[in-house]
Amino acid sequence: MHRLTSLFLALSIVLGTFIVVSSENWFIIWTGLELSTLALIPLLCANFTPRNVEAAIKYFLIQAISAALILNSALINAWFFGSWSILSPTNEVSTISLSIALAFKLGLAPCHFWFPDVLQGLPFIQGLIISTWQKIAPLILLFSFSSLVNSNLLILAGIISVIIGGWGGLNQTQIRKILAFSSIGHMGWIVITSFYSINIALIMLFLYLLINTTMFLLVEHLNIFTLGHLNVATYISPKAPALIIVTILSLGGLPPLTGFMIKFLSLTILVNENFILLSSLLILGSLLSLFFYLRIAFNTSLSLFPQHIVSLSSWRNSTSSATLPAKTWFLSFVFIVSAIGLPIIPPLYMNV
């Protein structure tokens, strides 16, 4: 694909997201979502391999269903209340329709079935766009109009997402599928927290986007597709294993890394609201996901993990080592600085 064409499509994706965030009309919001989706589809199938095209078609179908549900919800409101404004009242049918549409777009369980399969069929950069940027518009909609959705339905979906995000990744050896189930779990945390504190949910979203972007860029540059490729990361780039270990452990939420703040802030709010059972279920889901995060860290540090193949790369025949690009160094530097600074500066989050 020509560079100018890719740039135009990328700008259209950004424009679509900003239209959604800044609009107060349901039809304009639907237009922004469709603009972002249609601009992304050509980028998803840029390689034009059968698996790539299949993933792009699945993504398009799911996004078309969710967009249709949003438009249907807006039409019901316009029919009953004569207004397309997001400030107009809503009835039960449109509320449920909007909640299901957001669950599809965010990959919340039980509407998550498309996300691991689509992410597995795409290159890392396209997968990064789907798991980070494309989640911003639906989440901002949820943060801004939480009164317009069925909170009980989405909280239940968030709990199931955290558990499935941990359970589904246990038996995976493909890095992209592991990151997909990780994304499902984190979306559950953010969605549940958003109903009790919008500010903390925004902080959690920012930290998740930063850590997940760093992880995707690292594995994309090192061509790490399975767990078996991790044990040669040291030879490919001697500085990469430390970055991978710190990033993946932060994604898992181990203290005192930045990812721990995602779970700590959420649990603080939930415990203060006396949701002890809900907090326990979230902790259980995080403990399940911690298994495959530690599995990645062990393999990267050359601590061989049992019951899977750990030698899939012919590293003895390699003659050159790779250097991490500037974009990865920049994001890694920002992440490491935040990992050191955030846990030891309580004023950043204690008064949120």
Side-chain angles (χ1 to χ4, degrees), residues 113 203 237 285 332:
F113 53 87
I203 294 175
S237 181
S332 301

Side-chain angles (χ1 to χ4, degrees), residues 20 26 29 33 62-63 65-67 69-70 73 94-109 111-112 114 134-150 153-154 157 161 187 191 194-195:
V20 173
W26 279 117
I29 290 174
L33 291 172
I62 293 297
Q63 297 305 306
I65 292 172
S66 59
L69 288 173
I70 292 176
S73 175
S94 62
T95 297
I96 294 176
S97 177
L98 180 61
S99 302
I100 295 175
L102 292 178
F104 268 112
K105 282 192 171 292
L106 294 173
L108 293 177
C111 306
H112 71 288
W114 64 272
Q134 291 298 95
K135 300 293 181 68
I136 294 177
L139 281 174
I140 296 299
L141 279 178
L142 179 62
F143 296 164
S144 303
F145 319 128
S146 56
S147 60
L148 302 181
V149 298
N150 191 314
L153 181 63
L154 286 180
S161 298
M187 286 299 109
V191 167
S194 67
F195 289 102

Side-chain angles (χ1 to χ4, degrees), residues 80-265:
F80 282 100
F81 304 105
S83 173
W84 287 84
S85 173
I86 59 176
L87 303 177
S88 63
T90 57
N91 62 8
E92 191 65 25
V93 176
S94 62
T95 297
I96 294 176
S97 177
L98 180 61
S99 302
I100 295 175
L102 292 178
F104 268 112
K105 282 192 171 292
L106 294 173
L108 293 177
C111 306
H112 71 288
F113 53 87
W114 64 272
F115 190 59
D117 196 34
V118 167
L119 205 63
Q120 178 61 29
L122 297 174
F124 281 110
I125 298 300
Q126 284 89 330
L128 171 63
I129 297 174
I130 288 179
S131 60
T132 54
W133 184 265
Q134 291 298 95
K135 300 293 181 68
I136 294 177
L139 281 174
I140 296 299
L141 279 178
L142 179 62
F143 296 164
S144 303
F145 319 128
S146 56
S147 60
L148 302 181
V149 298
N150 191 314
S151 59
N152 294 328
L153 181 63
L154 286 180
I155 289 174
L156 179 61
I159 296 172
I160 300 175
S161 298
V162 173
I163 296 175
I164 287 182
W167 191 273
L170 292 180
N171 200 35
Q172 300 295 331
T173 59
Q174 300 290 328
I175 295 295
R176 283 171 289 189
K177 281 195 173 182
I178 290 176
L179 293 176
F181 282 107
S182 172
S183 178
I184 292 170
H186 279 88
M187 286 299 109
W189 278 90
I190 295 173
V191 167
I192 291 174
T193 307
S194 67
F195 289 102
Y196 306 104
S197 176
I198 299 297
N199 293 333
I200 288 183
L202 285 171
I203 294 175
M204 294 169 65
L205 175 61
F206 172 75
L207 294 179
Y208 165 74
L209 294 178
L210 181 63
I211 301 170
N212 205 42
T213 301
T214 306
M215 191 65 202
F216 265 94
L217 290 177
L218 283 170
V219 295
E220 186 270 337
H221 176 68
L222 299 172
N223 290 323
I224 297 175
F225 296 99
T226 66
L227 292 177
H229 291 126
L230 289 167
N231 63 330
V232 295
T234 302
Y235 184 79
I236 296 175
S237 181
K239 306 174 188 65
L243 294 176
I244 292 177
I245 291 173
V246 172
T247 307
I248 201 65
L249 292 182
S250 181
L251 201 60
L254 285 183
L257 301 174
T258 307
F260 171 69
M261 302 311 300
I262 296 177
K263 297 177 173 58
F264 176 77
L265 294 174

